Amino acid sequence: SQELEQSPQSLIVQEGKNLTINCTSSKTLYGLYWYKQKYGEGLIFLMMLQKGGEEKSHEKITAKLDEKKQQSSLHITASQPSHAGIYLCGALDQTGANNLFFGTGTRLTVIP
Amino acid sequence: GAGVSQTPSNKVTEKGKYVELRCDPISGHTALYWYRQSLGQGPEFLIYFQGTGAADDSGLPNDRFFAVRPEGSVSTLKIQRTERGDSAVYLCASRLGDRSYSEQFFGPGTRLTVL
């Protein structure tokens, strides 16, 4: 089965600072998903990356998938308190797989 | 439009009891998933439905866990003889169509506590 390692496990930043969260796999990723979760709420979809070298942005969040499709990063520019939460990467471990395997998450705290 | 809804939001039960957790997917979504999330962990896959049938139940931990989706919409996750280790947040997700790359939409989860 797929194993995803996220780093760091937790992150505390001052409002306005940039930050990066990493997600690494020992196997090729056929689809990499980033979700955000707040306490008591479900997972909110952020972005999905599929091709090696792909990069997507939405507002102040940018996600990249490396050429080998084994590592993804999530970068937040000029962080805000609304960015606080748990960020989870999930992946399909083979073409045609239907379920996602998730990392353990990165807890982000943004200090106003 | 309405998202994925789950009931109850919280369930406290005693060891050995039977519980049912309900998931209402987004209307028209044919794919439905159940995941379990323990404290400090990412969600773990339990079972996947495409329509009414369980296409993949390889994530169910043992035969105390069972899920149904009789009409291809609402799904119920059933846990028999609950154990303290079953305490977790149970998440349901739905997806449009049978394309695995399309986004899974998650519900808010049911927090199950087994005393």
Side-chain angles (χ1 to χ4, degrees):
Chain A
S1 63
Q2 185 68 273
E3 288 189 2
L4 296 174
E5 290 190 11
Q6 285 188 239
S7 62
Q9 289 185 320
S10 64
L11 192 54
I12 302 173
V13 300
Q14 198 76 37
E15 181 177 0
K17 296 295 185 183
N18 302 336
L19 64 105
T20 299
I21 298 168
N22 293 300
C23 176
T24 304
S25 170
S26 57
K27 299 181 182 180
T28 300
L29 300 167
Y30 289 96
L32 190 287
Y33 298 73
W34 283 100
Y35 283 88
K36 178 185 174 185
Q37 185 177 31
K38 290 198 167 184
Y39 182 81
E41 299 178 15
L43 280 63
I44 300 169
F45 174 76
L46 297 176
M47 276 170 275
M48 190 274 277
L49 305 166
Q50 193 174 333
K51 300 176 183 177
E54 188 174 8
E55 178 176 323
K56 289 185 178 178
S57 293
H58 177 67
E59 297 182 342
K60 295 184 178 180
I61 301 176
T62 300
K64 301 178 185 179
L65 182 62
D66 74 340
E67 290 289 345
K68 291 173 61 178
K69 299 203 302 182
Q70 288 186 293
Q71 184 169 4
S72 178
S73 61
L74 187 80
H75 184 79
I76 299 177
T77 304
S79 58
Q80 300 170 352
S82 61
H83 288 129
I86 298 172
Y87 289 82
L88 290 157
C89 64
L92 301 171
D93 69 347
Q94 58 187 5
T95 305
N98 282 286
N99 57 288
L100 293 173
F101 291 89
F102 285 92
T104 54
T106 295
R107 181 179 295 274
L108 173 63
T109 303
V110 180
I111 301 172
Chain B
V4 178
S5 63
Q6 293 185 244
T7 54
S9 55
N10 281 283
K11 177 70 177 178
V12 180
T13 191
E14 293 179 343
K15 180 175 176 242
K17 299 290 188 182
Y18 167 83
V19 297
E20 289 189 352
L21 312 179
R22 176 187 168 107
C23 171
D24 277 89
I26 294 173
S27 178
H29 280 197
T30 57
L32 185 146
Y33 301 80
W34 283 99
Y35 292 85
R36 178 169 71 173
Q37 186 175 24
S38 301
L39 191 63
Q41 301 296 316
E44 292 179 300
F45 168 73
L46 294 177
I47 187 169
Y48 158 63
F49 289 90
Q50 183 61 252
T52 60
D56 183 353
D57 64 358
S58 62
L60 295 177
N62 52 60
D63 61 6
R64 295 187 297 105
F65 289 75
F66 189 71
V68 296
R69 195 186 185 198
E71 298 178 357
S73 179
V74 171
S75 176
T76 304
L77 178 66
K78 307 180 181 191
I79 310 175
Q80 298 177 319
R81 304 183 304 280
T82 52
E83 300 178 356
R84 292 195 179 88
D86 298 336
S87 296
V89 176
Y90 289 81
L91 295 164
C92 176
S94 70
R95 176 169 56 77
L96 180 65
D98 60 359
R99 294 178 56 192
S100 59
Y101 287 107
S102 56
E103 174 191 350
Q104 293 183 26
F105 293 84
F106 282 80
T110 293
R111 182 174 299 275
L112 175 66
T113 304
V114 182
L115 301 176

